[in-house]
Amino acid sequence: MIRALDNWLDNRTGYKALLHEALYERVPGGARWRYVWGSTLVFTFMVQVITGIFLWAAYSPSTQTAWESVYYINNEMYLGNIVRGIHHFAAQAMVVLLAIHLVQVIIDGAYKAPREINFWIGLILMKIVLALSLTGYLLPWDQKGYYATQVTTKIIGATPVVGQQVQEIVQGGPKYGHHTLTRFFAMHAGILPGLLVVFLAIHIWVFRKHGLHVKDPDHAPETTFWPDQVLKDAVACLGVLAVILLLVFFKGAELSAPADPAEAYAAARPEWYFLFMFRFLKFELVEHFGLAFGALYVPGALFTFLVLMPIIALKKQGHAINVLFTLFMIGAIVWLTGLAMYEDKNNPDHQAAIAEAHRDAARIQELANRPEKIPVEGAVTLLREDPFTQGPRIFAKHCASCHFYNGHNGRGRILMESDPNDPSKKIPIQPTAADLGNFGSREWMRAAMIDYEQHFHTWTNASWYKEKSEEKDTEFLSPKPGESEMADWSKTHREMLTNPKNRKHLDGLVEFLAAQTGRKDLQIDEKLVEVGETLLSEYTLAEGELELSCTDCHDTLGGKFELTGDGSEIPDLAEYGSAKWLKAFISDPGTDQFYGSVNEMPAYKDKMTEREMDLLVRWLVKDYHPTEVVDYPVVEQNQNRPELTTQPAEQEPGGETTAANR
Amino acid sequence: MSEEHKSADSNPPTNEPTSSDSNASSSVSASSVSSGKPRRNFLASILATVISAVLMLVPLVSGLLFFLDPILRKKGGDDGGSQNGGARKDDQGFIRLDVTIDALPADGAPQLVTVYDDIVDAWNKFIDQPIGTVWLRRMPNSQVIAFSTICPHLGCSVEHRQAEKDFFCPCHTSAFNLDGDRINMIPPRNMDTLEVKLKEETGQTIWLKYQEFRGAEEEKTPV
């Protein structure tokens, strides 16, 4: 019955002959592992087609939905991260396998006549695969893909004569937008795979015509493609699949923050297999000759050499030259790739940029995962309106020239300046105002009370401080920072407050001050607050008595903050550390409600937009969607903290006390 | 590579080549060169087939399961606008409409009202969007009845014809009287009524449980 059907089918289609043709190709010298590479490429391509079509069913190419749909695939859809992961890593495997296949063909001399046509078709296939990688890299519309692809399209634009036009056609306009994605998607999922199938068919067909390129036919008895060679091919493919799956499970396909043309991406790098090109373009000499030289002419010349190889091989020693060229190219690529990786690894700025990219990528996942989901305008707006993301950037832009944040500029970078003693050396810039990393926290409040001068010691680096310290004529001057009334209070009360017997009172005072911030994340202990509040009106500790209570000078402390601009030049501490207070302070710290005439900080009310101010302040008081993202590192304070400059002898007891306190 | 090759090559046939001969069938007979090792060939064929199947099944099956996401994934609590959400919705799933009972014609003429709710669509959540319309009628006893505008036949929109004093679906001419009872046999059932309740707020507000039902069936089954 089955046999009859089989015969009928064969009679009508002739499939058996086709199958026989496909499976029983001669393999002189026996099946060998060295023949597997072409098959692994076909296999990875099939994997790409299968996973690609399924991903297609979930992907949405537009600037407001591309990242969002990939996020949805990755995080919400059933097995989405696995299917995308396979597609992601199989693409990279394909490039690696392609390189192996090409190098083997050259070294074995399989490119020579009569196989030169097939060699050229192979080179076309290589270009198609690289184009597939490139177009696919942009589709998630994340920062990584966006900025890496920008470079590629700029290179296209640098092509002489037609560059500009080609670039616009490729990206669907003068700038990236919806049509960049629809076009890249059409190329990635339609045009390029279609071309690949056509050329692959020709490649295999021509390959069959000339048969395997066998170096030693006497290696083993002749066999056929099925099953011996197929088995070896299958095992090799299984190995490739295993590597891909390991990467999927242990590394996972990355999705960085959504593309934002207004948000520089300092961590931009091409996919790792293009790193050598990237590094090559960075050479000053290459730069000197222009982008078209480094990015088009040199690679073009090298590729032309590849194309000419079968012709070069006609000459005596031609094959040797080809092999040497190939080995040299491998060496150069390995060297350049290694160099690029080494340099990046040892570049603290690049590492900080990568850390920030990871922070943003993790943060957007948290934001997109809220019940509010992603707004129609796109996920990028979530990051733009997120204090946790924007606060550090605004801080770095406006505040970091004086303040540090946990020892860095807010974004994890240590700012450097030339060493005045040795201009060739770079040394970390010293902060000239307080580190705001723990602003408004209990530690902040405690330090401000018991160690005021040390807490604000970074003032000593500021030129205004140095000038004041050097002033001989003290008559008209405001107190020097080290001898302000608050510093004096701190010095005289320090011993009493830090007395272990008064611990509860100090804690109460700290808790009372922390309560003024109104911050939810601090989880205020109301009973302790009461202890602090009582102390302020009753002055009595377990041991000793306050000479002056906080409210004796800061008379609004404990009340509601109101912006008046008036006061006694003693900072108004009503709702100290709250968003409201901080906003008023940053807007204009020099009013009499705050520091008045002794203020040194610029007023920011006209230097920052309302939006920037809001984001900055909310970040500083930690008013944002809670996060578990790995934040910028806390740079060890003593690492960059300047030694407190020992005051000159005539510089009175203030300096000495501080030294003693340390 | 060559080492592996050798080890594979030197792997001797473990069993005597016997019954497998016939099973290995055409592949063995076709390749005269390997006919000396039919057993080994048979094993190789089986292995090659099995591994090739695995190779193709891994992407294919994971891709297919991924494609079946709509039926395989466990829905989160806030997936689907009807379960949860909108500011106008009470805890029983009733949505406050924009009309009060006083705004409805006293003579019971049907009034078309748009229903608003949050819509969750994959990665987006749209706040307070029109999700559908209903026909509302004020009844003499100060009650309100609501009909879905979706025709129980095949889901077109049911219109109200003033002259004929009926509901009428222009697609396949389903017709219903103003009480929602079908007056021809084209629809499989009467118009779908929706649960309504009145709350005394600023006037009597109308709250509606918005649902859609499967079409072309005699039974009224929520989607």
Side-chain angles (χ1 to χ4, degrees):
Chain A
M1 173 65 191
I2 292 171
R3 191 164 291 253
L5 197 68
D6 191 41
N7 285 335
W8 172 81
L9 194 66
D10 186 39
N11 180 268
R12 298 299 191 276
T13 61
Y15 85 96
K16 276 185 181 168
L18 190 72
L19 209 61
H20 190 271
E21 174 67 24
L23 292 178
Y24 298 105
E25 186 208 5
R26 288 172 53 243
V27 182
R32 301 192 64 177
W33 288 105
R34 56 184 308 128
Y35 303 145
V36 301
W37 301 109
S39 297
T40 60
L41 274 166
V42 174
F43 166 66
T44 44
F45 176 62
M46 287 166 76
V47 169
Q48 293 305 69
V49 171
I50 293 169
T51 51
I53 286 174
F54 285 117
L55 287 169
W56 187 348
Y59 175 71
S60 172
S62 85
T63 58
Q64 266 126 51
T65 58
W67 185 92
E68 290 73 8
S69 61
V70 176
Y71 162 82
Y72 197 69
I73 291 169
N74 238 16
N75 294 273
E76 304 276 336
M77 291 184 71
Y78 194 74
L79 293 189
N81 55 343
I82 297 192
V83 176
R84 174 165 180 255
I86 294 175
H87 197 73
H88 179 84
F89 289 111
Q92 299 178 41
M94 216 166 161
V95 175
V96 174
L97 295 169
L98 199 82
I100 296 174
H101 188 48
L102 175 68
V103 168
Q104 191 187 28
V105 162
I106 293 172
I107 290 179
D108 284 359
Y111 62 97
K112 288 191 270 193
R115 294 182 172 85
E116 63 268 48
I117 299 258
N118 218 19
F119 178 68
W120 292 329
I121 290 167
L123 291 180
I124 293 172
L125 284 168
M126 178 173 87
K127 290 260 167 181
I128 296 173
V129 169
L130 292 180
L132 275 166
S133 307
L134 218 131
T135 47
Y137 204 54
L138 178 73
L139 294 182
W141 203 246
D142 60 351
Q143 285 283 74
K144 205 176 161 180
Y146 181 88
Y147 279 96
T149 314
Q150 280 282 0
V151 176
T152 318
T153 47
K154 291 259 155 53
I155 289 172
I156 294 174
T159 312
V161 193
V162 293
Q164 206 61 40
Q165 285 77 5
V166 175
Q167 184 187 354
E168 285 201 22
I169 293 167
V170 166
Q171 56 190 40
K175 278 185 183 170
Y176 278 18
H178 290 318
H179 267 191
T180 315
L181 280 168
T182 51
R183 279 166 181 256
F184 268 61
F185 190 42
M187 286 191 275
H188 184 77
I191 300 164
L192 292 168
L195 285 174
L196 195 120
V197 168
V198 170
F199 281 98
L200 186 61
I202 303 173
H203 194 62
I204 294 172
W205 190 69
V206 178
F207 160 73
R208 279 300 170 92
K209 172 170 168 56
H210 297 296
L212 263 174
H213 180 265
V214 180
K215 277 193 124 176
D216 49 345
D218 303 328
H219 179 79
E222 179 173 306
T223 178
T224 51
F225 184 58
W226 175 266
D228 288 0
Q229 187 59 44
V230 173
L231 180 60
K232 284 196 166 58
D233 288 0
V235 170
C237 293
L238 197 63
V240 171
L241 183 65
V243 171
I244 291 170
L245 289 178
L246 281 176
L247 286 166
V248 171
F249 285 114
F250 291 103
K251 202 159 180 287
E254 202 185 355
L255 179 64
S256 61
D260 186 349
E263 184 62 59
Y265 186 66
R269 288 289 180 271
E271 191 62 305
W272 60 268
Y273 42 80
F274 287 129
L275 265 183
F276 72 95
M277 277 281 285
F278 156 84
R279 186 59 191 83
F280 178 70
L281 290 175
K282 269 192 4 183
F283 284 118
E284 245 175 84
L285 187 71
V286 178
E287 194 95 332
H288 177 73
F289 288 109
L291 181 61
F293 170 79
L296 294 168
Y297 299 154
V298 172
L302 296 173
F303 190 76
T304 308
F305 193 99
L306 268 181
V307 173
L308 293 179
M309 273 186 178
I311 295 163
I312 295 168
L314 297 176
K315 300 261 181 234
K316 213 179 163 194
Q317 300 304 321
H319 178 63
I321 292 171
N322 288 338
V323 171
L324 272 177
F325 173 82
T326 307
L327 293 177
F328 170 76
M329 282 304 298
I330 295 171
I333 288 171
V334 169
W335 175 64
L336 284 170
T337 307
L339 189 63
M341 285 177 168
Y342 174 81
E343 285 172 350
D344 282 348
K345 206 169 171 56
N346 289 291
N347 180 348
D349 281 346
H350 183 70
Q351 292 302 317
I354 289 178
E356 184 168 83
H358 288 157
R359 184 184 189 270
D360 290 347
R363 179 59 172 170
I364 187 62
Q365 302 264 335
E366 284 182 342
L367 295 175
N369 199 24
R370 295 175 309 168
E372 294 93 314
K373 302 214 157 203
I374 301 170
V376 187
E377 295 78 24
V380 67
T381 55
L382 289 176
L383 277 186
R384 285 181 186 153
E385 286 156 18
D386 175 37
F388 181 74
T389 307
Q390 297 306 323
R393 289 166 162 84
I394 298 162
F395 184 91
K397 187 170 143 196
H398 290 292
C399 317
S401 52
C402 300
H403 292 280
F404 279 8
Y405 187 93
N406 286 336
H408 54 78
N409 75 337
R411 301 176 72 174
R413 298 198 198 192
I414 312 290
L415 301 176
M416 306 295 271
E417 64 184 350
S418 324
D419 188 341
N421 305 321
D422 177 7
S424 66
K425 260 177 42 187
K426 290 238 163 89
I427 54 165
I429 288 179
Q430 304 294 1
T432 58
D435 189 304
L436 298 178
N438 61 0
F439 176 77
S441 66
R442 290 184 180 85
E443 300 75 55
W444 173 276
M445 303 299 186
R446 187 181 301 265
M449 282 191 291
I450 63 170
D451 203 3
Y452 182 80
E453 190 179 356
Q454 178 64 20
H455 188 51
F456 294 105
H457 77 106
T458 42
W459 284 344
T460 55
N461 298 318
S463 53
W464 59 267
Y465 181 91
K466 285 176 184 149
E467 274 164 32
K468 276 192 181 167
S469 301
E470 283 160 15
E471 296 275 5
K472 299 285 179 226
D473 182 12
T474 54
E475 246 176 84
F476 307 102
L477 286 170
S478 53
K480 297 180 187 86
E483 49 189 67
S484 69
E485 289 151 302
M486 184 63 207
D488 291 343
W489 185 92
S490 178
K491 275 170 218 157
T492 50
H493 287 80
R494 184 173 197 277
E495 202 174 321
M496 187 200 309
L497 288 172
T498 52
N499 184 335
K501 288 179 183 152
N502 290 331
R503 186 167 165 196
K504 187 155 191 209
H505 286 98
L506 178 61
D507 286 350
L509 215 46
V510 167
E511 201 69 10
F512 171 75
L513 286 170
Q516 305 310 306
T517 65
R519 269 166 56 169
K520 289 180 197 84
D521 65 305
L522 290 179
Q523 291 172 348
I524 298 298
D525 177 346
E526 292 297 339
K527 277 192 185 145
L528 263 181
V529 173
E530 228 165 273
V531 173
E533 205 163 5
T534 315
L535 174 62
L536 287 180
S537 55
E538 295 180 0
Y539 295 74
T540 328
L541 291 82
E543 208 157 276
E545 230 173 61
L546 295 177
E547 283 173 32
L548 268 178
S549 146
C550 306
T551 41
D552 288 341
C553 299
H554 305 283
D555 52 7
T556 56
L557 179 60
K560 285 264 165 252
F561 179 82
E562 263 176 68
L563 181 60
T564 59
D566 292 331
S568 49
E569 301 198 358
I570 293 169
D572 184 344
L573 293 191
E575 295 184 63
Y576 177 56
S578 67
K580 199 165 138 196
W581 183 92
L582 195 53
K583 206 177 273 186
F585 181 83
I586 296 172
S587 295
D588 197 354
T591 65
D592 290 348
Q593 193 172 6
F594 296 113
Y595 283 135
S597 57
V598 298
N599 174 58
E600 296 291 344
M601 177 174 152
Y604 279 88
K605 56 173 182 266
D606 299 324
K607 296 189 177 183
M608 259 185 224
T609 63
E610 190 80 7
R611 184 184 154 273
E612 281 184 311
M613 179 77 79
D614 185 61
L615 289 166
L616 173 70
V617 164
R618 283 175 61 200
W619 171 59
L620 284 170
V621 303
K622 303 202 164 32
D623 170 24
Y624 42 72
H625 181 69
T627 183
E628 281 166 26
V629 167
V630 181
D631 208 343
Y632 300 108
V634 174
V635 179
E636 274 305 310
Q637 290 293 311
N638 51 12
Q639 193 180 320
N640 291 292
R641 192 164 187 165
E643 286 299 307
L644 199 62
T645 39
T646 323
Q647 306 291 323
E650 74 262 27
Q651 263 300 317
E652 54 31 88
E656 282 174 32
T657 320
T658 318
N661 287 349
R662 286 165 58 227
Chain B
M1 260 181 272
S2 58
E3 271 177 24
E4 283 177 81
H5 169 65
K6 266 180 210 155
S7 68
D9 235 4
S10 58
N11 187 17
T14 40
N15 289 328
E16 60 280 90
T18 50
S19 58
S20 61
D21 230 344
S22 55
N23 289 348
S25 72
S26 61
S27 71
V28 177
S29 54
S31 62
S32 55
V33 275
S34 358
S35 58
K37 305 181 275 181
R39 177 69 183 178
R40 195 181 109 73
N41 236 336
F42 174 69
L43 276 175
S45 306
I46 295 290
L47 259 179
T49 310
V50 169
I51 296 175
S52 302
V54 169
L55 290 175
M56 283 300 106
L57 283 176
V58 168
L60 205 59
V61 170
S62 45
L64 268 174
L65 291 173
F66 169 71
F67 192 71
L68 295 180
D69 169 81
I71 52 171
L72 287 178
R73 178 153 49 109
K74 288 201 180 77
K75 294 285 185 284
D78 62 346
D79 243 36
S82 61
Q83 287 161 25
N84 192 333
R88 305 159 174 262
K89 205 177 237 179
D90 70 6
D91 46 13
Q92 289 158 342
F94 284 82
I95 298 169
R96 189 169 57 74
L97 301 180
D98 278 339
V99 289
T100 60
I101 188 162
D102 299 330
L104 296 178
D107 64 355
Q111 196 76 354
L112 189 66
V113 174
T114 306
V115 184
Y116 289 84
D117 193 13
D118 294 352
I119 300 173
V120 171
D121 184 0
W123 55 83
N124 285 134
K125 183 165 186 172
F126 305 89
I127 305 296
D128 211 26
Q129 300 291 312
I131 57 166
T133 50
V134 289
W135 287 113
L136 290 187
R137 285 189 67 205
R138 178 176 179 168
M139 303 311 278
N141 53 357
S142 237
Q143 286 299 307
V144 172
I145 52 173
F147 296 111
S148 171
T149 55
I150 299 170
C151 182
H153 180 221
L154 287 169
C156 291
S157 291
V158 177
E159 294 170 353
H160 169 230
R161 293 193 298 189
Q162 217 136 19
E164 285 83 354
K165 286 207 166 53
D166 68 356
F167 289 113
F168 177 76
C169 180
C171 291
H172 308 104
T173 67
S174 297
F176 312 84
N177 65 23
L178 289 185
D179 293 326
D181 299 327
R182 55 184 171 166
I183 49 182
N184 61 31
M185 291 311 282
I186 293 162
R189 59 175 187 260
N190 295 338
M191 279 175 86
D192 295 320
T193 51
L194 295 166
E195 277 183 76
V196 174
K197 66 183 180 189
L198 300 171
K199 285 191 196 175
E200 196 65 53
E201 285 167 305
T202 46
Q204 286 229 305
T205 49
I206 303 170
W207 293 68
L208 174 104
K209 188 166 205 165
Y210 186 81
Q211 279 179 304
E212 290 176 12
F213 303 93
R214 288 164 65 164
E217 288 174 7
E218 280 168 44
E219 289 295 309
K220 177 180 161 191
T221 325
V223 179

